[in-house]
Amino acid sequence: AQSVTQPDIHITVSEGASLELRCNYSYGATPYLFWYVQSPGQGLQLLLKYFSGDTLVQGIKGFEAEFKRSQSSFNLRKPSVHWSDAAEYFCAVVLNTGFQKLVFGTGTRLLVSP
Amino acid sequence: DTAVSQTPKYLVTQMGNDKSIKCEQNLGHDTMYWYKQDSKKFLKIMFSYNNKELIINETVPNRFSPKSPDKAHLNLHINSLELGDSAVYFCASSQGDPGDTQYFGPGTRLTVL
Protein backbone atom coordinates (compact mmCIF):
# COMPACT_ATOMS: atom_id res chain seq x y z
CA ALA A 1 0.00 0.00 0.00
CA GLN A 2 1.14 3.54 -0.70
CA SER A 3 2.17 5.28 2.51
CA VAL A 4 4.38 7.77 4.30
CA THR A 5 5.99 6.57 7.51
CA GLN A 6 7.52 8.58 10.30
CA PRO A 7 8.68 5.88 12.68
CA ASP A 8 9.36 8.16 15.64
CA ILE A 9 6.26 9.48 17.39
CA HIS A 10 8.34 11.78 19.56
CA ILE A 11 12.01 12.61 19.99
CA THR A 12 13.77 14.53 22.75
CA VAL A 13 16.97 16.36 21.92
CA SER A 14 19.15 18.56 24.08
CA GLU A 15 19.48 22.15 23.01
CA GLY A 16 22.56 22.50 20.82
CA ALA A 17 22.60 18.83 19.84
CA SER A 18 22.05 17.58 16.32
CA LEU A 19 18.72 16.28 15.08
CA GLU A 20 17.56 13.75 12.53
CA LEU A 21 13.89 13.00 11.88
CA ARG A 22 13.12 9.99 9.74
CA CYS A 23 10.70 9.71 6.88
CA ASN A 24 10.14 6.78 4.53
CA TYR A 25 7.69 6.53 1.69
CA SER A 26 6.24 3.62 -0.17
CA TYR A 27 5.31 4.52 -3.74
CA GLY A 28 6.14 3.09 -7.14
CA ALA A 29 7.75 6.27 -8.43
CA THR A 30 9.63 9.07 -6.72
CA PRO A 31 7.05 11.48 -5.40
CA TYR A 32 7.43 15.13 -4.56
CA LEU A 33 8.66 15.26 -0.94
CA PHE A 34 8.01 17.89 1.69
CA TRP A 35 8.72 18.63 5.32
CA TYR A 36 6.29 20.86 7.21
CA VAL A 37 6.49 22.13 10.79
CA GLN A 38 3.55 22.85 13.08
CA SER A 39 4.25 24.94 16.15
CA PRO A 40 1.78 24.61 19.04
CA GLY A 41 -1.58 26.13 18.16
CA GLN A 42 -0.38 27.14 14.71
CA GLY A 43 -0.87 26.12 11.12
CA LEU A 44 1.74 24.31 9.11
CA GLN A 45 4.77 25.97 7.56
CA LEU A 46 6.93 24.52 4.80
CA LEU A 47 10.53 23.83 5.82
CA LEU A 48 11.78 22.43 2.51
CA LYS A 49 10.83 20.30 -0.47
CA TYR A 50 12.41 18.05 -3.07
CA PHE A 51 11.35 16.84 -6.47
CA SER A 52 14.52 16.62 -8.57
CA GLY A 53 18.15 17.63 -8.77
CA ASP A 54 20.56 17.78 -5.86
CA THR A 55 19.46 15.21 -3.29
CA LEU A 56 20.54 17.41 -0.37
CA VAL A 57 18.00 20.17 0.07
CA GLN A 58 18.41 23.26 2.22
CA GLY A 59 15.43 24.78 3.94
CA ILE A 60 14.46 27.53 6.30
CA LYS A 61 15.54 27.80 9.95
CA GLY A 62 18.78 25.89 9.31
CA PHE A 63 17.10 22.62 8.33
CA GLU A 64 18.20 20.32 5.54
CA ALA A 65 16.97 17.01 4.20
CA GLU A 66 18.53 14.29 2.10
CA PHE A 67 16.66 12.22 -0.44
CA LYS A 68 17.92 8.65 -0.75
CA ARG A 69 16.20 6.80 -3.55
CA SER A 70 17.67 3.43 -2.60
CA GLN A 71 16.18 3.70 0.89
CA SER A 72 12.97 5.53 -0.11
CA SER A 73 13.84 8.03 2.59
CA PHE A 74 13.78 11.78 3.04
CA ASN A 75 15.23 12.44 6.48
CA LEU A 76 15.28 15.89 8.02
CA ARG A 77 18.37 17.14 9.83
CA LYS A 78 19.59 20.11 11.78
CA PRO A 79 23.13 20.39 13.15
CA SER A 80 22.24 22.35 16.29
CA VAL A 81 18.73 22.45 17.74
CA HIS A 82 17.30 25.55 19.40
CA TRP A 83 14.56 25.53 22.03
CA SER A 84 12.27 27.27 19.52
CA ASP A 85 12.46 24.20 17.26
CA ALA A 86 10.16 22.29 19.61
CA ALA A 87 7.15 21.49 17.43
CA GLU A 88 5.43 18.76 15.41
CA TYR A 89 7.17 17.83 12.17
CA PHE A 90 5.35 16.29 9.24
CA CYS A 91 6.78 14.59 6.21
CA ALA A 92 4.47 14.65 3.20
CA VAL A 93 4.42 13.45 -0.38
CA VAL A 94 2.62 14.37 -3.56
CA LEU A 95 2.37 11.95 -6.42
CA ASN A 96 2.92 13.48 -9.82
CA THR A 97 -0.64 12.92 -10.92
CA GLY A 98 -1.24 16.33 -12.44
CA PHE A 99 -2.72 17.93 -9.35
CA GLN A 100 -1.53 18.35 -5.82
CA LYS A 101 -2.76 15.97 -3.16
CA LEU A 102 -0.57 16.07 -0.06
CA VAL A 103 -0.37 12.83 1.88
CA PHE A 104 1.08 13.33 5.33
CA GLY A 105 2.99 11.05 7.64
CA THR A 106 1.81 10.69 11.21
CA GLY A 107 4.19 13.35 12.49
CA THR A 108 7.08 13.44 14.95
CA ARG A 109 6.90 15.62 18.03
CA LEU A 110 10.24 17.20 18.84
CA LEU A 111 10.93 18.09 22.45
CA VAL A 112 14.01 20.17 23.27
CA SER A 113 15.56 19.84 26.70
CA PRO A 114 17.75 22.53 28.26
CA ASP B 1 -1.74 41.00 5.46
CA THR B 2 -2.43 37.41 6.53
CA ALA B 3 -1.95 35.01 3.63
CA VAL B 4 -4.55 32.38 4.54
CA SER B 5 -7.12 33.25 7.17
CA GLN B 6 -9.86 31.19 8.77
CA THR B 7 -12.81 32.12 10.93
CA PRO B 8 -13.65 31.28 13.58
CA LYS B 9 -10.53 30.10 15.38
CA TYR B 10 -12.59 28.15 17.92
CA LEU B 11 -16.04 26.67 17.49
CA VAL B 12 -17.92 24.88 20.26
CA THR B 13 -21.33 23.50 19.43
CA GLN B 14 -23.86 20.82 20.26
CA MET B 15 -24.40 17.57 18.40
CA GLY B 16 -26.90 17.90 15.59
CA ASN B 17 -26.17 21.56 14.86
CA ASP B 18 -25.06 22.96 11.52
CA LYS B 19 -21.96 25.13 11.37
CA SER B 20 -19.69 26.80 8.83
CA ILE B 21 -16.01 27.63 8.73
CA LYS B 22 -14.77 30.31 6.39
CA CYS B 23 -11.42 30.52 4.62
CA GLU B 24 -9.89 33.28 2.56
CA GLN B 25 -6.52 33.57 0.84
CA ASN B 26 -4.93 36.73 -0.55
CA LEU B 27 -2.06 34.99 -2.35
CA GLY B 28 -3.75 34.87 -5.74
CA HIS B 29 -3.63 31.07 -5.73
CA ASP B 30 -5.85 28.98 -7.95
CA THR B 31 -6.25 26.01 -5.62
CA MET B 32 -7.59 25.71 -2.09
CA TYR B 33 -7.89 22.79 0.30
CA TRP B 34 -9.52 21.62 3.49
CA TYR B 35 -7.70 19.27 5.84
CA LYS B 36 -8.84 17.59 9.04
CA GLN B 37 -6.38 17.02 11.90
CA ASP B 38 -7.61 14.55 14.47
CA SER B 39 -6.75 14.27 18.14
CA LYS B 40 -3.65 12.24 17.32
CA LYS B 41 -2.41 15.03 15.03
CA PHE B 42 -3.03 12.97 11.89
CA LEU B 43 -3.67 15.25 8.91
CA LYS B 44 -5.85 14.15 6.04
CA ILE B 45 -7.05 16.01 3.02
CA MET B 46 -10.80 16.38 2.68
CA PHE B 47 -11.40 18.55 -0.37
CA SER B 48 -9.58 20.55 -3.00
CA TYR B 49 -10.94 23.21 -5.33
CA ASN B 50 -9.22 24.66 -8.36
CA ASN B 51 -10.72 27.86 -9.73
CA LYS B 52 -13.99 27.15 -7.92
CA GLU B 53 -14.21 23.59 -9.24
CA LEU B 54 -14.02 20.54 -7.00
CA ILE B 55 -11.01 18.40 -7.94
CA ILE B 56 -10.41 16.28 -4.84
CA ASN B 57 -13.18 14.81 -2.74
CA GLU B 58 -11.91 12.22 -0.30
CA THR B 59 -14.22 9.78 1.44
CA VAL B 60 -15.85 12.43 3.55
CA PRO B 61 -19.45 12.12 4.82
CA ASN B 62 -21.84 14.12 2.69
CA ARG B 63 -22.71 16.13 5.79
CA PHE B 64 -19.59 18.08 4.83
CA SER B 65 -20.14 20.44 1.92
CA PRO B 66 -17.46 22.80 0.66
CA LYS B 67 -18.43 25.92 -1.21
CA SER B 68 -16.17 28.18 -3.24
CA PRO B 69 -17.88 31.46 -4.18
CA ASP B 70 -14.67 32.65 -5.87
CA LYS B 71 -11.13 31.37 -6.08
CA ALA B 72 -10.04 33.35 -3.02
CA HIS B 73 -12.61 31.73 -0.73
CA LEU B 74 -13.38 28.17 0.26
CA ASN B 75 -15.92 27.65 3.01
CA LEU B 76 -16.79 24.42 4.77
CA HIS B 77 -20.33 23.75 5.91
CA ILE B 78 -21.06 20.85 8.21
CA ASN B 79 -24.58 19.56 8.80
CA SER B 80 -25.83 17.50 11.72
CA LEU B 81 -22.58 17.66 13.66
CA GLU B 82 -21.40 14.49 15.40
CA LEU B 83 -18.97 13.94 18.25
CA GLY B 84 -16.45 12.45 15.81
CA ASP B 85 -16.32 15.71 13.87
CA SER B 86 -14.36 17.28 16.72
CA ALA B 87 -10.97 18.12 15.25
CA VAL B 88 -8.86 20.97 13.97
CA TYR B 89 -9.73 21.95 10.41
CA PHE B 90 -7.07 23.62 8.28
CA CYS B 91 -7.55 25.53 5.10
CA ALA B 92 -4.64 25.81 2.66
CA SER B 93 -3.91 27.23 -0.76
CA SER B 94 -1.36 26.79 -3.53
CA GLN B 95 -0.97 27.30 -7.26
CA GLY B 96 -1.98 23.67 -7.61
CA ASP B 97 0.97 22.07 -9.36
CA PRO B 98 2.36 18.95 -7.66
CA GLY B 99 5.57 20.60 -6.46
CA ASP B 100 4.03 23.83 -5.21
CA THR B 101 4.13 24.94 -1.60
CA GLN B 102 0.83 24.82 0.23
CA TYR B 103 0.21 27.72 2.60
CA PHE B 104 -1.87 26.84 5.61
CA GLY B 105 -4.27 28.88 7.68
CA PRO B 106 -4.06 28.90 11.49
CA GLY B 107 -6.76 26.27 11.88
CA THR B 108 -10.25 26.12 13.40
CA ARG B 109 -10.67 23.96 16.47
CA LEU B 110 -14.14 22.44 16.36
CA THR B 111 -15.50 20.87 19.54
CA VAL B 112 -18.80 19.02 19.36
CA LEU B 113 -20.47 18.39 22.72
Side-chain angles (χ1 to χ4, degrees):
Chain A
Q2 298 175 333
S3 66
V4 181
T5 303
Q6 293 181 248
D8 303 306
I9 296 173
H10 49 77
I11 282 181
T12 300
V13 174
S14 298
E15 191 168 14
S18 63
L19 168 71
E20 182 168 27
L21 302 182
R22 296 182 291 166
C23 174
N24 293 93
Y25 64 91
S26 173
Y27 289 94
T30 300
Y32 293 87
L33 297 155
F34 303 78
W35 275 100
Y36 281 84
V37 61
Q38 183 181 21
S39 298
Q42 304 293 315
L44 282 80
Q45 181 183 25
L46 179 74
L47 288 174
L48 45 78
K49 60 183 176 180
Y50 171 82
F51 40 92
S52 67
D54 192 344
T55 56
L56 185 62
V57 182
Q58 301 298 319
I60 62 170
K61 305 185 181 187
F63 285 92
E64 66 178 26
E66 186 171 14
F67 169 63
K68 293 186 177 179
R69 185 188 305 275
S70 60
Q71 298 176 19
S72 296
S73 69
F74 188 54
N75 294 348
L76 182 72
R77 301 195 293 247
K78 186 169 184 177
S80 177
V81 166
H82 188 261
W83 64 266
S84 60
D85 293 324
E88 193 88 24
Y89 290 81
F90 292 94
C91 181
V93 304
V94 169
L95 300 182
N96 189 359
T97 57
F99 57 87
Q100 190 181 49
K101 176 181 168 183
L102 266 176
V103 175
F104 285 91
T106 48
T108 298
R109 172 162 290 187
L110 173 64
L111 304 171
V112 180
S113 61
Chain B
D1 57 346
T2 304
V4 182
S5 59
Q6 295 178 229
T7 54
K9 190 167 175 61
Y10 300 96
L11 187 52
V12 181
T13 188
Q14 300 286 334
M15 268 197 311
N17 284 350
D18 303 339
K19 290 293 179 186
S20 291
I21 306 172
K22 295 187 176 182
C23 178
E24 177 180 2
Q25 55 96 3
N26 62 7
L27 297 168
H29 289 158
D30 290 334
T31 307
M32 296 184 71
Y33 313 81
W34 278 109
Y35 290 87
K36 179 180 180 180
Q37 185 175 48
D38 63 22
S39 59
K40 294 184 178 178
K41 299 283 188 177
F42 184 61
L43 268 160
K44 192 172 186 332
I45 191 166
M46 301 172 68
F47 301 104
S48 175
Y49 270 72
N50 179 268
N51 276 321
K52 303 194 296 175
E53 284 192 33
L54 182 66
I55 57 171
I56 295 175
N57 184 352
E58 293 294 285
T59 50
V60 177
N62 58 16
R63 297 182 295 103
F64 290 78
S65 53
K67 284 187 173 52
S68 182
D70 55 62
K71 74 173 191 176
H73 296 84
L74 180 62
N75 304 323
L76 183 65
H77 189 76
I78 315 171
N79 289 328
S80 303
L81 278 155
E82 300 178 358
L83 293 176
D85 297 332
S86 296
V88 181
Y89 292 84
F90 287 100
C91 177
S93 74
S94 79
Q95 284 292 32
D97 290 331
D100 288 337
T101 300
Q102 286 193 19
Y103 293 84
F104 284 77
T108 296
R109 182 175 292 276
L110 171 65
T111 303
V112 183
L113 304 174

